[in-house]
Amino acid sequence: MTRRVAFVTGGGRGIGAATARRLAAAGVAVVVADRDLDAARAVAAAVDGLAVRVDVSRPDEVDAAVDEAVAWGGGLHFAYNNAGVPGVRAELGVYPDEVFWRVQRVNVGGVFACMRAELRHMLAAGGGSIVNAASGAGVGGVAGAGAYVASKHAVIGLTRTAAVEYASRGVRVNAVAPGLVRTAMVDGLEDFEAAHPIGRAATPEEVAEAVWWLLDGGSSFVTGAVVPVDGGLTAQIPGLS
Ligand code: ADP
């Protein structure tokens, strides 16, 4: 059997890196794409994959990176469009224009450009599976995070649309919606962590496991789904729990 190939954006750290490792453990050849080439190289070296530098907010760079992935791997079966930025913490009344649009260009424009490039190859080869990085912030508002919230709602819209457009042509498109994930960033977010009914943040590996399930054939009838990986965060009615 030919080795299956995955393209992972933002693969240099966090959830993307954990997903690259999870895919490699399943025998998938992984292309680790990140705007931080050193970080991508470190992960790629550990999984015997390919590191590619890309800024996902630049469609020309995305097209070139996906072409490079396909040339290296001989095809493209899986993609996890995970690269993203949080923006700044500010209420909408004073949210800076420049940051707002930067967040949309990376988080929404990146997913759009990546899916467009990936779909070209997947459709030519008769199928594939794509997972996009949404968030609990894609299904509800978060005070002080308007740009990020808007971008993740848009990622869910793109995911559902792509799922509907390509379901009959062998490409499934889904999203994961993590709550808080335990990274270096978590320090100082103890209250947010406690708000998860499970009582803690996720590990990057717990999100990677869900991504792998959505990518692989075990989820063959799942498309257009937004899978919460949030310890019950978005399932609860706040104040009643
Ligand atoms: P998470 O906790 O969601 O995994 P991180 O901030 O730890 O988030 O990782 C996000 C990754 O996405 C980083 O490796 C970062 O370099 C990458 N990234 C951010 N913006 C871009 C971009 N425009 N193009 C490509 N990669 C990006």
Side-chain angles (χ1 to χ4, degrees), residues 9-17 33-36 39 54-57 82-86 102 106 148 181 183 185:
T9 70
R13 59 177 65 81
I15 302 166
D34 204 293
R35 77 173 165 195
D36 179 345
V54 67
D55 177 347
V56 297
S57 70
N82 157 79
V85 289
R102 172 81 194 141
V106 175
Y148 187 76
V181 177
T183 63
M185 239 175 52

Side-chain angles (χ1 to χ4, degrees), residues 101-200:
W101 289 112
R102 172 81 194 141
V103 171
Q104 310 315 314
R105 272 196 301 276
V106 175
N107 297 6
V108 188
V111 166
F112 164 61
C114 286
M115 283 206 295
R116 190 172 57 182
E118 293 151 5
L119 282 162
R120 260 200 306 270
H121 292 285
M122 289 177 177
L123 292 171
S129 182
I130 296 173
V131 173
N132 295 322
S135 164
V139 294
V142 181
Y148 187 76
V149 166
S151 75
K152 293 301 179 178
H153 276 69
V155 166
I156 290 175
L158 287 173
T159 301
R160 289 181 173 141
T161 300
V164 171
E165 288 180 343
Y166 296 101
S168 65
R169 282 175 274 174
V171 181
R172 294 184 302 110
V173 186
N174 293 289
V176 285
L180 188 62
V181 177
R182 196 174 292 150
T183 63
M185 239 175 52
V186 171
D187 291 343
L189 291 176
E190 290 77 10
D191 287 351
F192 184 21
E193 191 159 1
H196 294 64
I198 284 186
R200 61 172 177 81

Side-chain angles (χ1 to χ4, degrees), residues 208-221:
E209 202 56 44
V211 174
W212 171 236
W213 179 74
L214 286 169
L215 287 176
D216 192 30
S219 60
S220 55
F221 208 62

